[in-house]
Amino acid sequence: MHADGQSSLLTYVVTTIVILVIFAVRWRRMSRLRPLKIERLWILPALFAVVVGVTFANAPPVGWGWAFCVAALLLGGALGWTRGKLMRITVDPDTHALSQSSSPAAMLFILAIVAVRQGARAGGAGWLHLDTLAMTDMLMSLALGLFAAQRLEMFLRARRMLTTARGPVIPR
């Protein structure tokens, strides 16, 4: 085996071990309820949208790169909406405080996305005839769609749950 083959294999082994350790730690914390502040769900997608906007303003995608970025954004939106639906949201019946916790399905979903990404990395992007910048643009678009749709789904569902918990408003 060549030195390149050994270093490539070592890279995948180390990456896999790091990912498994991170997921093991996250898996233990998953059952804990964390406060959910629906008025703050927009912050991460907005900040990331600014980063993507600045990046695209400095080095915009060219040609088919735009189409691939839009497709990645839509795919990220679909994946984010699915991940948002997998998040557990609860409402305290007395205080109406919202809480969230990750579900095992949400963690496995992210693990599957990481596995697909690793597989794509191993296969390379040569078959798409895209350069590194185009791949980065598409991954940023995918992440933006994922963050925005996940947070939007969680916001809408939490707001519905809160309205239901508070009961109907009876005019006097």
Side-chain angles (χ1 to χ4, degrees):
M1 189 179 254
H2 294 252
D4 270 345
Q6 288 177 342
S7 67
S8 178
L9 179 62
L10 181 63
T11 300
Y12 286 113
V13 169
V14 169
T15 302
T16 302
I17 290 171
V18 168
I19 289 171
L20 290 176
V21 167
I22 290 170
F23 275 95
V25 169
R26 292 277 302 164
W27 195 274
R28 282 192 15 213
R29 294 182 187 171
M30 213 177 359
S31 60
R32 291 185 197 157
L33 288 176
R34 294 183 318 253
L36 175 63
K37 306 290 184 193
I38 60 174
E39 61 275 0
R40 294 183 187 164
L41 286 174
W42 65 272
I43 295 172
L44 177 66
L47 290 174
F48 199 73
V50 169
V51 169
V52 171
V54 168
T55 301
F56 281 14
N58 288 332
V62 292
W64 281 98
W66 282 108
F68 285 120
C69 285
V70 169
L73 181 71
L74 295 174
L75 176 62
L79 294 172
W81 192 267
T82 302
R83 184 161 193 270
K85 289 181 105 164
L86 295 173
M87 301 299 283
R88 292 183 192 145
I89 299 175
T90 57
V91 180
D92 184 286
D94 298 327
T95 64
H96 298 143
L98 291 165
S99 299
Q100 74 174 23
S101 65
S102 294
S103 71
M107 288 298 292
L108 293 174
F109 184 71
I110 290 297
L111 187 59
I113 291 173
V114 170
V116 167
R117 188 215 177 267
Q118 286 297 103
R121 181 176 161 206
W127 63 277
L128 288 175
H129 304 291
L130 297 172
D131 62 6
T132 306
L133 286 176
M135 288 302 295
T136 303
D137 291 345
M138 288 187 308
L139 289 173
M140 289 179 69
S141 298
L142 180 91
L144 177 60
L146 187 109
F147 295 151
Q150 175 187 348
R151 299 295 179 106
L152 177 62
E153 195 285 331
M154 290 174 65
F155 170 80
L156 294 173
R157 187 161 41 104
R159 191 175 63 179
R160 267 193 319 269
M161 292 172 71
L162 201 52
T163 301
T164 303
R166 289 180 176 154
V169 176
I170 302 171
R172 291 184 187 203

